[in-house]
Amino acid sequence: MNQTSVSTHAWILMAALGAIWGASFLAIKVGLEELPFLTLVAHRVFWACLILWAYVLIRGLPIPRDPRIWGAFLVMGLLNNVIPFGLMAWGQQFIETGLTSIFNAGTAIFGVLVAAAVFADERLTPRKSLGVLVAFFGVAVAIGLDSFRQFDIRSIAQLAVIGGTISYAFAAAWARKTMSHLPPQVSAAGMLTGASLIILPVTFAIDGVPQVPTLPATWAAILYFGVVGTALAYLLYYRIIALAGSGNAMLVTLLIPPVAIVLGAVVLGERLAPSAFAGFGLLALGLILIDGRALAVLRNR
């Protein structure tokens, strides 16, 4: 399904999802004030995993029994949860929530490049190539020239977040190749199961027995990004795909940064450099060029 129009209902759901995921960056930043980043990731995937399996069982959806599918879930959990969640949470210790969300919007860029390299029907067109170049320039502007002149922990944090978006891109290709025949809710639950099986022993080995949070704000953050920002968000995302198509669902990535930037400023007092906003503008333009439908509408007028 790849609809060119989006209903009012779908737009409302996309706005809601953009707000949910935008606020997730704030929740992670709050959680990092008390807990190590690996422990936060473990909380995020484990509780979301339990909730999604409860949903699958209540709905009576078929549970896969093929070991190869469970192997695919394990890889998907690594690529779509453990690596990007871990890199982004680590990076957020050193950069602003709004800036993290801007880099996160670059997921679609790397998704286009990985898909073009893997699938014959996803080859780069001149329009997509131009969009990728504009978006890459936007990422470079958002990083800022100072980060290129002096390589410090902030620079590494920005690269870590970008590394997370690259992992998301490979995850999307892996999902299309191995999991497209499964109900999306089952895929999400299985993916989070694979992520939990990986991150829990790693967290115990590095952080030790997870400490019990003492701050109410930390509990609220865990509840938010585990239940709302992950479990509910995945269900909402697949509903949007069903209503508007996967191409239109990509537009959510442009709705996340404004929410994260405003929340970071209001709640945490963060202030982004003008280059970050300029970079986001170029990134958004690149994504619009990659999508192509806005240009088609202009041509038909």
Side-chain angles (χ1 to χ4, degrees):
M1 187 176 185
N2 188 23
Q3 300 173 350
T4 57
S5 61
V6 182
S7 67
T8 301
H9 181 50
W11 274 117
I12 292 173
L13 293 181
M14 283 197 288
L17 183 58
I20 288 171
W21 272 338
S24 292
F25 290 97
L26 173 63
I28 292 168
K29 191 78 167 184
V30 170
L32 287 169
E33 293 295 323
E34 184 177 7
L35 298 178
F37 75 96
L38 285 177
T39 299
L40 284 182
V41 175
H43 276 295
R44 182 175 186 178
V45 300
F46 179 72
W47 301 118
C49 171
L50 294 183
I51 292 169
L52 285 179
W53 276 121
Y55 177 88
V56 168
L57 293 174
I58 291 171
R59 290 288 306 275
L61 299 174
I63 299 176
R65 302 188 184 279
D66 188 342
R68 291 173 296 182
I69 293 178
W70 285 96
F73 286 156
L74 195 67
V75 175
M76 188 65 177
L78 177 67
L79 293 176
N80 203 62
N81 298 128
V82 175
I83 293 176
F85 287 1
L87 288 175
M88 290 187 178
W90 181 85
Q92 272 196 260
Q93 296 176 107
F94 309 101
I95 64 175
E96 298 84 359
T97 56
L99 188 58
T100 304
S101 70
I102 289 173
F103 291 136
N104 179 73
T107 298
I109 310 169
F110 297 108
V112 167
L113 293 176
V114 171
V118 175
F119 302 112
D121 61 343
E122 295 279 1
R123 298 304 179 197
L124 285 177
T125 62
R127 172 180 52 77
K128 284 186 176 181
S129 299
L130 176 61
V132 168
L133 288 175
V134 172
F136 266 127
F137 183 62
V139 171
V141 171
I143 291 175
L145 292 177
D146 288 341
S147 295
F148 293 103
R149 293 194 188 104
Q150 53 181 31
F151 198 74
D152 54 15
I153 190 65
R154 181 177 172 85
S155 305
I156 297 172
Q158 292 181 94
L159 293 177
V161 173
I162 293 171
T165 67
I166 296 173
S167 188
Y168 277 140
F170 280 102
W174 179 258
R176 174 180 169 181
K177 196 173 182 64
T178 64
M179 296 161 54
S180 58
H181 62 292
L182 297 172
Q185 299 89 346
V186 174
S187 296
M191 169 188 71
L192 288 166
T193 301
S196 297
L197 291 174
I198 295 171
I199 195 63
L200 288 175
V202 172
T203 301
F204 273 96
I206 296 177
D207 292 346
V209 178
Q211 65 187 82
V212 178
T214 59
L215 300 176
T218 306
W219 282 109
I222 291 173
L223 180 65
Y224 182 84
F225 61 62
V227 178
V228 181
T230 305
L232 177 62
Y234 277 134
L235 295 177
L236 187 57
Y237 178 68
Y238 291 125
R239 177 62 178 159
I240 291 169
I241 290 177
L243 287 174
S246 57
N248 285 315
M250 184 181 72
L251 297 174
V252 172
T253 60
L254 298 179
L255 304 178
I256 296 171
V259 176
I261 291 169
V262 170
L263 288 176
V266 172
V267 179
L268 303 175
E270 295 179 344
R271 294 293 182 268
L272 297 183
S275 60
F277 294 100
F280 174 62
L282 289 168
L283 181 56
L285 176 60
L287 294 178
I288 291 171
L289 289 171
I290 290 171
D291 182 64
R293 283 166 294 177
L295 297 178
V297 171
L298 291 175
R299 284 198 299 267
N300 293 330
R301 284 187 174 180

